[in-house]
Coordinates of all heavy atoms in Angstrom, one line a residue:
Y1249 N -30.1 -6.1 -12.1 CA -31.3 -6.9 -11.7 C -31.5 -8.0 -12.7 O -31.4 -7.8 -13.9 CB -32.5 -6.0 -11.6 CG -33.8 -6.8 -11.3 CD1 -34.0 -7.3 -10.0 CD2 -34.7 -7.1 -12.2 CE1 -35.1 -8.0 -9.6 CE2 -35.9 -7.8 -11.9 CZ -36.0 -8.2 -10.6 OH -37.2 -8.9 -10.3
L1250 N -31.7 -9.2 -12.2 CA -32.0 -10.4 -13.1 C -33.5 -10.7 -13.1 O -34.0 -10.8 -12.0 CB -31.2 -11.6 -12.6 CG -29.7 -11.5 -12.7 CD1 -29.0 -12.7 -12.1 CD2 -29.2 -11.3 -14.1
L1251 N -34.0 -10.7 -14.2 CA -35.5 -11.0 -14.3 C -35.8 -12.4 -13.9 O -35.0 -13.4 -14.2 CB -36.0 -10.8 -15.7 CG -35.9 -9.3 -16.2 CD1 -36.3 -9.3 -17.7 CD2 -36.8 -8.4 -15.4
P1252 N -36.9 -12.7 -13.1 CA -37.2 -14.0 -12.7 C -37.4 -14.9 -14.0 O -38.0 -14.5 -15.0 CB -38.5 -13.8 -12.0 CG -38.5 -12.4 -11.5 CD -37.7 -11.7 -12.6
G1253 N -36.9 -16.1 -13.9 CA -37.0 -17.1 -15.0 C -35.9 -17.0 -16.0 O -35.8 -17.8 -16.9
Y1254 N -35.0 -16.0 -15.9 CA -33.9 -15.8 -16.9 C -32.6 -16.3 -16.3 O -31.6 -16.1 -16.9 CB -33.8 -14.4 -17.3 CG -34.9 -14.0 -18.3 CD1 -36.1 -13.5 -17.8 CD2 -34.7 -14.2 -19.6 CE1 -37.1 -13.1 -18.7 CE2 -35.8 -13.9 -20.5 CZ -36.9 -13.4 -20.1 OH -37.9 -13.0 -20.9
T1255 N -32.6 -16.9 -15.2 CA -31.3 -17.4 -14.6 C -31.7 -18.6 -13.6 O -32.9 -18.7 -13.3 CB -30.6 -16.3 -13.8 OG1 -29.3 -16.9 -13.4 CG2 -31.3 -15.8 -12.6
S1256 N -30.7 -19.3 -13.2 CA -31.0 -20.4 -12.3 C -31.5 -19.9 -11.0 O -31.1 -18.8 -10.5 CB -29.7 -21.2 -12.1 OG -29.9 -22.2 -11.2
D1257 N -32.2 -20.7 -10.2 CA -32.7 -20.3 -8.9 C -31.7 -20.2 -7.9 O -31.9 -19.6 -6.8 CB -33.8 -21.3 -8.5 CG -35.1 -21.2 -9.3 OD1 -35.3 -20.1 -9.9 OD2 -35.8 -22.2 -9.4
N1258 N -30.5 -20.7 -8.1 CA -29.4 -20.6 -7.1 C -28.5 -19.4 -7.3 O -27.5 -19.3 -6.6 CB -28.6 -21.9 -7.0 CG -28.0 -22.3 -8.3 OD1 -28.4 -21.7 -9.4 ND2 -27.0 -23.1 -8.3
F1259 N -28.8 -18.5 -8.1 CA -28.1 -17.3 -8.3 C -28.9 -16.1 -7.8 O -30.1 -16.1 -7.9 CB -27.7 -17.0 -9.8 CG -26.7 -18.1 -10.3 CD1 -27.0 -18.7 -11.4 CD2 -25.5 -18.3 -9.6 CE1 -26.1 -19.7 -11.9 CE2 -24.6 -19.3 -10.1 CZ -24.9 -20.0 -11.2
Y1260 N -28.2 -15.0 -7.3 CA -28.8 -13.9 -6.7 C -28.3 -12.6 -7.3 O -27.3 -12.6 -8.0 CB -28.5 -13.9 -5.1 CG -29.0 -15.2 -4.5 CD1 -28.1 -16.2 -4.3 CD2 -30.3 -15.4 -4.1 CE1 -28.5 -17.4 -3.7 CE2 -30.7 -16.5 -3.6 CZ -29.9 -17.6 -3.4 OH -30.3 -18.7 -2.8
D1261 N -28.9 -11.5 -7.0 CA -28.4 -10.2 -7.4 C -27.1 -9.8 -6.7 O -27.0 -10.1 -5.5 CB -29.5 -9.1 -7.2 CG -30.7 -9.2 -8.1 OD1 -30.5 -9.7 -9.2 OD2 -31.8 -8.9 -7.6
S1262 N -26.2 -9.2 -7.4 CA -24.9 -8.8 -6.8 C -25.1 -7.5 -6.0 O -25.8 -6.6 -6.5 CB -23.9 -8.7 -7.9 OG -22.7 -8.2 -7.4
F1263 N -24.3 -7.4 -5.0 CA -24.2 -6.1 -4.2 C -22.8 -5.9 -3.8 O -22.2 -6.8 -3.2 CB -25.2 -6.1 -3.0 CG -25.2 -4.7 -2.3 CD1 -25.8 -3.7 -2.9 CD2 -24.5 -4.6 -1.1 CE1 -25.8 -2.4 -2.3 CE2 -24.5 -3.4 -0.5 CZ -25.2 -2.3 -1.0
S1264 N -22.2 -4.7 -4.0 CA -20.8 -4.5 -3.7 C -20.7 -3.1 -3.1 O -21.4 -2.2 -3.4 CB -19.9 -4.6 -4.9 OG -20.0 -5.8 -5.5
V1265 N -19.7 -2.9 -2.2 CA -19.3 -1.7 -1.6 C -17.9 -1.5 -1.9 O -17.1 -2.4 -1.7 CB -19.6 -1.6 -0.1 CG1 -19.2 -0.3 0.5 CG2 -21.1 -1.8 0.2
G1266 N -17.4 -0.3 -2.4 CA -16.0 -0.1 -2.7 C -15.5 1.2 -2.3 O -16.3 2.2 -2.1
I1267 N -14.2 1.4 -2.2 CA -13.6 2.6 -1.9 C -12.3 2.7 -2.7 O -11.6 1.7 -2.9 CB -13.3 2.7 -0.4 CG1 -12.8 4.1 0.0 CG2 -12.4 1.7 0.1 CD1 -12.8 4.4 1.5
D1268 N -12.0 4.0 -3.1 CA -10.7 4.2 -3.8 C -9.8 5.0 -2.9 O -10.2 6.0 -2.2 CB -10.9 5.1 -5.1 CG -11.5 4.4 -6.2 OD1 -11.7 3.2 -6.1 OD2 -11.8 5.1 -7.2
L1269 N -8.5 4.6 -2.8 CA -7.5 5.3 -2.0 C -6.4 5.7 -2.9 O -5.8 4.8 -3.5 CB -7.0 4.3 -0.9 CG -8.0 3.8 0.1 CD1 -7.3 2.7 1.0 CD2 -8.5 4.9 0.9
E1270 N -6.2 7.0 -3.1 CA -5.2 7.5 -4.0 C -4.0 7.9 -3.2 O -4.1 8.7 -2.2 CB -5.8 8.7 -4.7 CG -7.0 8.4 -5.6 CD -7.4 9.6 -6.5 OE1 -6.6 10.5 -6.8 OE2 -8.6 9.6 -6.8
T1271 N -2.8 7.4 -3.6 CA -1.6 7.7 -3.0 C -0.5 8.1 -4.1 O 0.1 7.2 -4.7 CB -1.0 6.6 -2.2 OG1 -0.9 5.4 -3.0 CG2 -2.0 6.2 -1.0
G1272 N -0.4 9.3 -4.4 CA 0.6 9.7 -5.5 C 0.1 9.2 -6.8 O -0.9 9.6 -7.3
G1273 N 0.9 8.3 -7.4 CA 0.6 7.8 -8.7 C -0.2 6.5 -8.7 O -0.5 5.9 -9.7
H1274 N -0.5 6.0 -7.5 CA -1.2 4.7 -7.3 C -2.7 4.9 -6.9 O -2.9 5.9 -6.1 CB -0.6 3.8 -6.3 CG 0.8 3.3 -6.7 ND1 1.9 3.9 -6.5 CD2 1.1 2.1 -7.3 CE1 2.9 3.2 -7.0 NE2 2.5 2.1 -7.5
V1275 N -3.5 4.1 -7.3 CA -4.9 4.1 -6.9 C -5.2 2.7 -6.4 O -5.1 1.7 -7.2 CB -5.9 4.5 -8.0 CG1 -7.4 4.5 -7.4 CG2 -5.6 5.9 -8.4
F1276 N -5.6 2.5 -5.2 CA -6.0 1.2 -4.6 C -7.5 1.2 -4.5 O -8.1 2.1 -3.9 CB -5.4 1.0 -3.2 CG -3.9 1.0 -3.2 CD1 -3.2 2.2 -3.0 CD2 -3.2 -0.2 -3.4 CE1 -1.8 2.2 -3.0 CE2 -1.8 -0.2 -3.3 CZ -1.1 1.0 -3.2
Q1277 N -8.1 0.2 -5.1 CA -9.6 0.0 -5.0 C -9.8 -1.2 -4.2 O -9.4 -2.3 -4.4 CB -10.1 -0.2 -6.4 CG -10.0 1.0 -7.3 CD -10.5 0.7 -8.7 OE1 -10.3 -0.3 -9.2 NE2 -11.2 1.8 -9.3
L1278 N -10.6 -1.0 -3.1 CA -11.0 -2.1 -2.2 C -12.5 -2.4 -2.3 O -13.3 -1.4 -2.3 CB -10.6 -1.7 -0.8 CG -9.2 -1.2 -0.5 CD1 -9.0 -0.7 0.9 CD2 -8.2 -2.3 -0.9
F1279 N -12.9 -3.6 -2.4 CA -14.3 -4.0 -2.6 C -14.7 -5.1 -1.6 O -13.9 -5.9 -1.2 CB -14.5 -4.6 -4.0 CG -14.2 -3.7 -5.1 CD1 -12.9 -3.8 -5.7 CD2 -15.1 -2.8 -5.6 CE1 -12.6 -3.0 -6.8 CE2 -14.7 -2.0 -6.6 CZ -13.5 -2.1 -7.2
L1280 N -16.0 -5.0 -1.1 CA -16.6 -6.0 -0.3 C -17.9 -6.4 -1.1 O -18.7 -5.5 -1.4 CB -16.9 -5.5 1.1 CG -17.4 -6.6 2.1 CD1 -16.3 -7.6 2.3 CD2 -17.8 -5.9 3.4
T1281 N -18.0 -7.7 -1.4 CA -19.1 -8.0 -2.3 C -19.6 -9.5 -2.0 O -18.9 -10.2 -1.4 CB -18.7 -7.9 -3.8 OG1 -19.7 -8.3 -4.7 CG2 -17.5 -8.8 -4.1
N1282 N -20.8 -9.8 -2.5 CA -21.3 -11.2 -2.4 C -21.0 -12.0 -3.7 O -21.4 -13.1 -3.8 CB -22.7 -11.2 -2.1 CG -23.6 -10.6 -3.2 OD1 -23.2 -9.7 -3.9 ND2 -24.8 -11.1 -3.3
S1283 N -20.3 -11.4 -4.7 CA -19.9 -12.0 -5.9 C -18.5 -12.6 -5.8 O -17.7 -12.2 -5.0 CB -19.9 -11.0 -7.1 OG -21.2 -10.4 -7.2
L1284 N -18.3 -13.7 -6.6 CA -17.0 -14.3 -6.6 C -15.9 -13.5 -7.4 O -14.7 -13.7 -7.2 CB -17.0 -15.7 -7.2 CG -17.7 -16.7 -6.3 CD1 -17.9 -18.1 -6.9 CD2 -17.0 -16.8 -4.9
G1285 N -16.4 -12.6 -8.3 CA -15.5 -11.8 -9.1 C -16.0 -10.4 -9.3 O -17.2 -10.2 -9.1
I1286 N -15.1 -9.5 -9.8 CA -15.6 -8.1 -10.0 C -15.7 -7.8 -11.5 O -15.9 -6.7 -11.9 CB -14.7 -7.1 -9.3 CG1 -13.2 -7.3 -9.7 CG2 -14.8 -7.2 -7.8 CD1 -12.3 -6.2 -9.2
Q1287 N -15.6 -8.8 -12.3 CA -15.7 -8.7 -13.8 C -17.2 -9.1 -14.1 O -17.7 -10.0 -13.5 CB -14.7 -9.5 -14.5 CG -13.3 -8.9 -14.3 CD -12.3 -10.0 -14.3 OE1 -12.5 -11.1 -13.9 NE2 -11.1 -9.7 -14.7
E1288 N -17.7 -8.6 -15.2 CA -19.1 -8.8 -15.6 C -19.5 -10.2 -15.7 O -20.6 -10.5 -15.2 CB -19.4 -8.1 -16.9 CG -19.4 -6.6 -16.9 CD -18.0 -6.0 -17.1 OE1 -17.0 -6.7 -17.3 OE2 -17.9 -4.7 -17.2
P1289 N -18.8 -11.1 -16.3 CA -19.3 -12.5 -16.3 C -19.5 -13.2 -15.0 O -20.3 -14.1 -14.8 CB -18.2 -13.3 -17.1 CG -17.4 -12.3 -17.8 CD -17.5 -11.0 -17.0
Y1290 N -18.8 -12.7 -13.9 CA -19.0 -13.3 -12.6 C -20.1 -12.6 -11.8 O -20.7 -13.3 -11.0 CB -17.6 -13.2 -11.8 CG -16.5 -13.8 -12.6 CD1 -15.5 -13.1 -13.2 CD2 -16.5 -15.2 -12.6 CE1 -14.5 -13.8 -13.9 CE2 -15.5 -15.9 -13.3 CZ -14.5 -15.1 -13.9 OH -13.5 -15.8 -14.6
F1291 N -20.3 -11.3 -11.9 CA -21.2 -10.7 -11.0 C -22.6 -10.5 -11.6 O -23.6 -10.3 -10.9 CB -20.7 -9.4 -10.3 CG -20.7 -8.2 -11.2 CD1 -21.8 -7.5 -11.4 CD2 -19.5 -7.9 -11.8 CE1 -21.7 -6.3 -12.2 CE2 -19.4 -6.7 -12.6 CZ -20.5 -6.0 -12.8
I1292 N -22.7 -10.5 -12.9 CA -24.0 -10.2 -13.5 C -25.0 -11.4 -13.4 O -26.1 -11.3 -13.0 CB -23.9 -9.8 -15.0 CG1 -23.3 -8.4 -15.0 CG2 -25.2 -9.8 -15.7 CD1 -23.1 -7.8 -16.4
A1293 N -24.5 -12.6 -13.7 CA -25.4 -13.7 -13.7 C -24.9 -14.9 -12.9 O -25.5 -16.0 -13.0 CB -25.6 -14.2 -15.2
E1294 N -23.8 -14.8 -12.2 CA -23.2 -16.0 -11.5 C -23.0 -15.7 -10.0 O -22.0 -16.2 -9.4 CB -22.0 -16.4 -12.2 CG -22.2 -17.0 -13.6 CD -21.0 -17.6 -14.2 OE1 -19.9 -17.7 -13.5 OE2 -21.0 -17.9 -15.4
T1295 N -23.8 -14.8 -9.4 CA -23.6 -14.5 -8.0 C -24.3 -15.5 -7.1 O -25.6 -15.5 -7.1 CB -24.0 -13.1 -7.7 OG1 -23.3 -12.2 -8.4 CG2 -23.9 -12.8 -6.2
A1296 N -23.6 -16.4 -6.5 CA -24.2 -17.4 -5.7 C -24.3 -17.1 -4.2 O -25.0 -17.7 -3.4 CB -23.4 -18.8 -5.8
G1297 N -23.7 -16.0 -3.8 CA -23.6 -15.6 -2.4 C -24.8 -14.7 -2.0 O -25.3 -14.0 -2.9
Q1298 N -25.1 -14.6 -0.7 CA -26.1 -13.7 -0.2 C -25.5 -12.9 1.0 O -24.9 -13.5 1.9 CB -27.3 -14.5 0.3 CG -28.1 -15.2 -0.8 CD -29.3 -15.9 -0.2 OE1 -29.7 -15.6 0.9 NE2 -29.8 -16.9 -0.9
W1299 N -25.7 -11.6 1.0 CA -25.2 -10.8 2.1 C -25.8 -11.2 3.4 O -25.1 -11.3 4.4 CB -25.6 -9.3 1.9 CG -24.7 -8.5 1.0 CD1 -24.7 -8.5 -0.4 CD2 -23.6 -7.7 1.4 NE1 -23.6 -7.7 -0.8 CE2 -23.0 -7.2 0.3 CE3 -23.2 -7.3 2.7 CZ2 -21.9 -6.3 0.3 CZ3 -22.1 -6.4 2.7 CH2 -21.5 -6.0 1.6
G1300 N -27.1 -11.5 3.5 CA -27.7 -11.9 4.7 C -27.2 -13.2 5.3 O -27.3 -13.4 6.5
K1301 N -26.6 -14.0 4.5 CA -26.0 -15.3 5.0 C -24.5 -15.2 5.3 O -23.9 -16.2 5.6 CB -26.4 -16.4 4.1 CG -27.8 -16.8 4.0 CD -28.1 -18.0 3.2 CE -29.6 -18.3 3.2 NZ -29.8 -19.5 2.4
G1302 N -24.0 -14.0 5.1 CA -22.5 -13.8 5.4 C -21.6 -14.3 4.2 O -20.4 -14.5 4.5
D1303 N -22.1 -14.4 3.0 CA -21.3 -14.8 1.9 C -20.6 -13.6 1.3 O -21.0 -13.1 0.3 CB -22.2 -15.5 0.8 CG -22.8 -16.8 1.3 OD1 -22.2 -17.5 2.1 OD2 -24.0 -17.1 0.8
L1304 N -19.6 -13.1 2.0 CA -18.9 -11.9 1.5 C -17.5 -12.2 1.1 O -16.8 -13.1 1.6 CB -18.9 -10.9 2.7 CG -20.2 -10.5 3.3 CD1 -20.0 -9.6 4.4 CD2 -21.0 -9.8 2.2
H1305 N -17.0 -11.5 0.1 CA -15.7 -11.7 -0.4 C -15.0 -10.3 -0.5 O -15.7 -9.3 -0.8 CB -15.8 -12.3 -1.9 CG -16.5 -13.5 -1.9 ND1 -16.0 -14.7 -1.6 CD2 -17.8 -13.8 -2.3 CE1 -16.9 -15.7 -1.7 NE2 -18.0 -15.1 -2.1
F1306 N -13.7 -10.3 -0.2 CA -12.9 -9.1 -0.3 C -12.1 -9.1 -1.6 O -11.5 -10.2 -1.9 CB -12.0 -8.9 0.9 CG -11.1 -7.7 0.9 CD1 -11.6 -6.5 1.1 CD2 -9.8 -7.9 0.6 CE1 -10.8 -5.4 1.1 CE2 -8.9 -6.8 0.5 CZ -9.4 -5.6 0.8
S1307 N -12.0 -8.0 -2.3 CA -11.2 -8.0 -3.5 C -10.6 -6.6 -3.6 O -11.0 -5.7 -3.0 CB -12.0 -8.4 -4.8 OG -13.0 -7.4 -5.0
F1308 N -9.5 -6.5 -4.5 CA -8.9 -5.3 -4.7 C -8.2 -5.1 -6.1 O -8.0 -6.1 -6.7 CB -7.8 -5.0 -3.6 CG -6.6 -6.0 -3.7 CD1 -5.5 -5.6 -4.4 CD2 -6.7 -7.2 -3.1 CE1 -4.4 -6.5 -4.5 CE2 -5.6 -8.1 -3.2 CZ -4.5 -7.7 -3.9
N1309 N -8.0 -3.9 -6.5 CA -7.3 -3.6 -7.7 C -6.2 -2.5 -7.3 O -6.4 -1.7 -6.4 CB -8.2 -2.9 -8.7 CG -9.1 -3.9 -9.4 OD1 -8.8 -5.1 -9.5 ND2 -10.3 -3.5 -9.7
I1310 N -5.1 -2.5 -8.1 CA -4.1 -1.5 -8.0 C -3.9 -0.9 -9.3 O -3.6 -1.7 -10.3 CB -2.8 -2.1 -7.4 CG1 -3.0 -2.7 -6.0 CG2 -1.7 -1.0 -7.3 CD1 -1.8 -3.4 -5.5
H1311 N -4.0 0.4 -9.5 CA -3.7 1.1 -10.7 C -2.5 2.0 -10.6 O -2.3 2.6 -9.5 CB -4.9 1.9 -11.1 CG -6.1 1.1 -11.4 ND1 -6.4 0.6 -12.7 CD2 -7.2 0.7 -10.6 CE1 -7.5 -0.1 -12.6 NE2 -8.0 0.0 -11.4
R1312 N -1.7 2.1 -11.6 CA -0.6 3.0 -11.6 C -0.6 3.8 -12.9 O -0.8 3.3 -14.0 CB 0.7 2.2 -11.5 CG 2.0 3.0 -11.7 CD 2.3 3.9 -10.6 NE 3.5 4.6 -10.8 CZ 3.9 5.7 -10.2 NH1 3.1 6.2 -9.3 NH2 5.0 6.3 -10.5
T1313 N -0.4 5.1 -12.7 CA -0.4 6.0 -13.9 C 1.1 6.4 -14.2 O 1.8 6.8 -13.4 CB -1.1 7.4 -13.5 OG1 -2.4 7.0 -13.1 CG2 -1.2 8.3 -14.7
F1314 N 1.4 6.1 -15.5 CA 2.7 6.4 -16.0 C 2.7 7.6 -16.9 O 1.8 7.7 -17.8 CB 3.3 5.2 -16.8 CG 3.6 4.1 -15.9 CD1 2.7 3.0 -15.8 CD2 4.7 4.0 -15.1 CE1 2.9 1.9 -15.0 CE2 5.0 2.9 -14.3 CZ 4.1 1.9 -14.2
V1315 N 3.6 8.6 -16.8 CA 3.6 9.7 -17.7 C 4.9 9.6 -18.5 O 6.0 9.6 -17.9 CB 3.6 11.0 -16.8 CG1 3.7 12.2 -17.7 CG2 2.4 11.1 -16.0
L1316 N 4.8 9.6 -19.8 CA 5.9 9.5 -20.7 C 6.5 10.9 -21.0 O 7.7 11.0 -21.2 CB 5.6 8.8 -22.0 CG 5.1 7.3 -21.8 CD1 4.7 6.7 -23.1 CD2 6.2 6.5 -21.1
K1317 N 5.7 11.9 -21.1 CA 6.1 13.2 -21.5 C 5.4 14.2 -20.6 O 4.2 14.3 -20.6 CB 5.9 13.5 -23.0 CG 6.5 14.8 -23.5 CD 6.3 14.9 -25.0 CE 6.8 16.2 -25.4 NZ 6.6 16.4 -26.9
K1318 N 6.2 15.0 -19.9 CA 5.6 16.0 -19.0 C 5.1 17.2 -19.8 O 5.7 17.7 -20.7 CB 6.6 16.5 -18.0 CG 6.1 17.2 -16.9 CD 7.2 17.5 -15.8 CE 6.6 18.0 -14.6 NZ 7.6 18.2 -13.5
D1319 N 3.9 17.7 -19.5 CA 3.3 18.8 -20.1 C 4.0 20.1 -19.6 O 4.0 20.4 -18.5 CB 1.8 18.9 -19.8 CG 1.0 19.9 -20.6 OD1 1.7 20.6 -21.5 OD2 -0.2 20.1 -20.4
K1320 N 4.6 20.9 -20.6 CA 5.3 22.1 -20.2 C 4.4 23.2 -19.7 O 4.9 24.0 -18.9 CB 6.1 22.6 -21.4 CG 7.2 21.7 -21.8 CD 8.0 22.2 -23.0 CE 9.0 21.2 -23.5 NZ 9.8 21.7 -24.6
K1321 N 3.1 23.2 -20.0 CA 2.2 24.2 -19.6 C 1.9 24.0 -18.1 O 1.6 25.0 -17.4 CB 1.0 24.2 -20.4 CG 1.2 24.6 -21.9 CD -0.1 24.6 -22.6 CE 0.1 24.9 -24.1 NZ -1.1 24.8 -24.9
K1322 N 1.8 22.8 -17.6 CA 1.5 22.5 -16.2 C 2.6 22.6 -15.3 O 2.5 22.6 -14.1 CB 0.8 21.1 -16.1 CG -0.5 21.0 -16.8 CD -1.1 19.7 -16.6 CE -2.5 19.6 -17.3 NZ -3.1 18.3 -17.0
G1323 N 3.8 22.7 -15.8 CA 5.0 22.9 -14.9 C 5.8 21.7 -14.9 O 6.4 21.0 -14.3

C-alpha cells in the first residue's frame, strides 16, 4: 500500500495473481499483474496500470534445481 501524498498521482497499488507449476526439476511461475515488472522497484512504487481498465501484463519465471552430490540416506 502506498500512502497518499508519498507517490505521484499517476501510480496505483499493484495486484498480481500467480501460479507455480512443478515438473521434475523445473518450476514454472506464471503471473498476471497490473505492474510492468515483478521486481520490487517496478511494482512497489511504479505501477501505472489499473485492473479495472484492462492494464494487465503476463510474466513468467523458470527455475531449475541442480544437485551436485546425491544424499546417500535418501537413496
Side-chain angles (χ1 to χ4, degrees):
Y1249 178 75
L1250 297 173
L1251 296 173
Y1254 286 91
T1255 186
S1256 177
D1257 291 336
N1258 58 343
F1259 294 128
Y1260 303 95
D1261 291 327
S1262 177
F1263 184 75
S1264 300
V1265 176
I1267 187 169
D1268 285 355
L1269 301 171
E1270 296 184 28
T1271 59
H1274 291 87
V1275 177
F1276 298 90
Q1277 296 177 320
L1278 309 173
F1279 301 96
L1280 189 62
T1281 181
N1282 64 328
S1283 299
L1284 290 176
I1286 57 174
Q1287 295 147 327
E1288 290 90 353
Y1290 301 108
F1291 74 83
I1292 290 180
E1294 295 184 7
T1295 300
Q1298 294 182 18
W1299 275 82
K1301 293 186 177 181
D1303 297 329
L1304 300 177
H1305 305 279
F1306 176 76
S1307 62
F1308 67 94
N1309 287 327
I1310 300 172
H1311 295 273
R1312 171 70 180 158
T1313 303
F1314 293 99
V1315 178
L1316 298 178
K1317 185 175 179 183
K1318 194 171 188 178
D1319 188 5
K1320 292 181 183 180
K1321 294 179 184 178
K1322 292 185 179 181

